[in-house]
Amino acid sequence: MNIPEFATVAGIVVICFLIGMGVKASPLDDKWIPLIVGICGGCLGVVGMLTMPEFPSNNYIDAIATGIASGLAATGVHQIGKQLSE
């Protein structure tokens, strides 16, 4: 089965979004959410590179950067939804 490259990155966005929602429900201050989802995204980027041949990055630096961008995109998706609902 051939998975498109954007689907692998979208998976990181969804996972980081859920992690961000978990942090929001925790007693931690909301200002830490972007940092936490960025770090988690970077880690997931490396895991994706090592486990998925379709992953868009083929070295550690690119995989970490792709993961961080995907993690921070999860924060952006949440903020867009929040701003549109207000």
Side-chain angles (χ1 to χ4, degrees), residues 14-72:
V14 170
I15 293 168
C16 287
F17 181 82
L18 293 174
I19 291 170
M21 295 303 287
V23 172
K24 188 163 183 66
S26 76
L28 285 174
D29 192 8
D30 288 351
K31 71 179 181 182
W32 296 106
I33 293 173
L35 178 66
I36 292 170
V37 297
I39 290 170
C40 291
C43 295
L44 288 170
V46 172
V47 170
M49 180 193 73
L50 295 174
T51 59
M52 293 184 280
E54 299 88 5
F55 197 74
S57 303
N58 57 4
N59 63 56
Y60 287 101
I61 299 297
D62 287 344
I64 292 169
T66 300
I68 290 171
S70 300
L72 294 176

